[in-house]
Amino acid sequence: MSASLSIVAFLLGIVEGLTEFIPVSSTGHMIVIGDGLHFNSLIGSADRAELFLVVIQLGAILAVGWYYRQRLQASLFARSLDSKPGKLRTHLAVAFLPAAIFGFLFHKQLKMLLTPLTVAITLIIGGIVIILVERSGKTAKRTTTVDTMTLKDAIVVGCSQILSLIPGTSRSAATIMGGMLGGMERSAATEFSFLLSFPIMIAASVFELVKYRALLTSDMFSTIAIGFVVAFVTALLVVGWLVRFVQGHSFAGFGYYRIAFGAMILVLYSMNFFSN
């Protein structure tokens, strides 16, 4: 493994960990930054690059699993459907299904959208939506915690998550904004989004790992290990910070960031900065 590849793997691990759970699109950032750093050429092929990104994304997802390990464990082994852990398990299962089914059926079509131009457009649109939602004042505090959410809330968040399959949308942005528009308080929508990320992203990662299992050769492990560990540690720090942040701050700042970043990508795209 070359020094250049090690450095890029380290940097991409940081980017993944920083952006996986904030509403700015980790996939979008990875596509743009990876393309700008010519990651596909460094690692050998587009398929090897995709495998790397899938595995380090799994590292970030395991971070949220560790952060919420007690809650997820209680939910998984809950005996009563009427208990708080039992209801959470039901809500996660219901919210998991829409995006899982849609993603499985349209995986090939969605993969064609993995371009900097798509990312730029969806970043800007998503940024505008976040700002409008935060300014609307329609986020009634009907559902103030994950424990008080309803099956309807879970369905709304689950359907909103379908939008996140479009690169640049951001899974957390789609689910949090969807939850808020449905009547969930920002902190409740954020926490449920984090909890929901664990099953949906584990499923997506396993699907990709099975698909690219032939590429899991020994020469890939050192590169993957760097990105995986860095993504896990960085994401663990971000999750804890964001849980505290949403208690007293809006997401409007992330919306403005998305618009600025998306505009920058459009400028770079017009200058033929990217390879696709």
Side-chain angles (χ1 to χ4, degrees):
M1 180 175 59
S2 67
S4 297
L5 180 56
S6 298
I7 293 172
V8 172
F10 184 88
L11 291 175
L12 290 178
I14 293 177
V15 172
E16 168 61 27
L18 286 175
T19 59
E20 180 61 45
F21 300 107
I22 60 177
V24 298
S25 176
S26 63
T27 300
H29 279 72
M30 298 293 277
I31 291 172
V32 171
I33 295 174
D35 195 297
L37 294 173
H38 307 291
F39 183 58
N40 287 12
S41 298
L42 284 173
I43 202 168
S45 71
D47 286 345
R48 288 165 67 93
E50 184 172 346
L51 174 62
F52 171 85
L53 297 180
V54 166
V55 176
I56 69 169
Q57 186 178 50
L58 181 59
I61 296 305
L62 290 179
V64 82
W66 176 257
Y67 188 86
Y68 287 108
R69 60 191 182 279
Q70 294 180 338
R71 192 157 199 169
L72 287 169
Q73 183 178 10
S75 174
L76 180 63
F77 296 106
R79 295 183 178 181
S80 173
L81 293 177
D82 294 325
S83 64
K84 290 180 179 179
K87 289 181 179 179
L88 176 59
R89 182 177 59 201
T90 300
H91 293 158
L92 289 175
V94 169
F96 165 85
L97 288 175
I101 295 172
F102 195 90
F104 178 78
L105 293 176
F106 299 100
H107 176 73
K108 292 183 179 179
Q109 292 85 344
L110 291 166
K111 188 176 179 180
M112 294 174 64
L113 299 175
L114 292 170
T115 67
L117 181 59
T118 302
V119 169
I121 294 172
T122 51
L123 277 170
I124 293 172
I125 294 174
I128 294 172
V129 170
I130 289 174
I131 294 169
L132 291 177
V133 170
E134 288 287 11
R135 288 184 175 181
S136 69
K138 294 181 180 180
T139 55
K141 297 179 180 180
R142 176 179 55 78
T143 300
T144 57
T145 69
V146 170
D147 291 333
T148 61
M149 71 183 293
T150 64
L151 190 61
K152 178 183 176 181
D153 292 326
I155 294 172
V156 169
V157 173
C159 291
S160 299
Q161 189 166 227
I162 294 175
L163 294 174
S164 69
L165 297 173
I166 303 173
T169 300
S170 169
R171 195 203 62 80
S172 59
T175 52
I176 293 171
M177 293 303 113
M180 290 174 65
L181 286 173
M184 298 181 72
E185 193 177 67
R186 185 185 299 107
S187 58
T190 301
E191 185 175 14
F192 186 69
S193 173
F194 286 175
L195 290 165
L196 180 59
S197 71
F198 193 69
I200 191 69
M201 297 312 297
I202 288 290
S205 297
V206 169
F207 177 81
E208 293 289 345
L209 283 169
V210 171
K211 177 182 176 182
Y212 290 114
R213 59 188 180 278
L215 298 178
L216 286 171
T217 55
S218 57
D219 64 322
M220 280 286 291
F221 280 115
S222 54
T223 303
I224 289 174
I226 293 173
F228 182 93
V229 173
V230 173
F232 176 86
V233 174
T234 307
L236 194 59
L237 296 174
V238 170
V239 170
W241 169 80
L242 193 56
V243 168
R244 296 187 296 271
F245 176 86
V246 298
Q247 295 175 358
H249 301 81
S250 80
F251 286 122
F254 293 116
Y256 289 114
Y257 168 81
R258 289 175 63 110
I259 294 171
F261 188 47
M264 183 189 74
I265 296 171
L266 287 178
V267 171
L268 293 174
Y269 186 83
S270 68
M271 298 169 61
N272 297 317
F273 179 79
F274 303 107
S275 61
N276 59 337

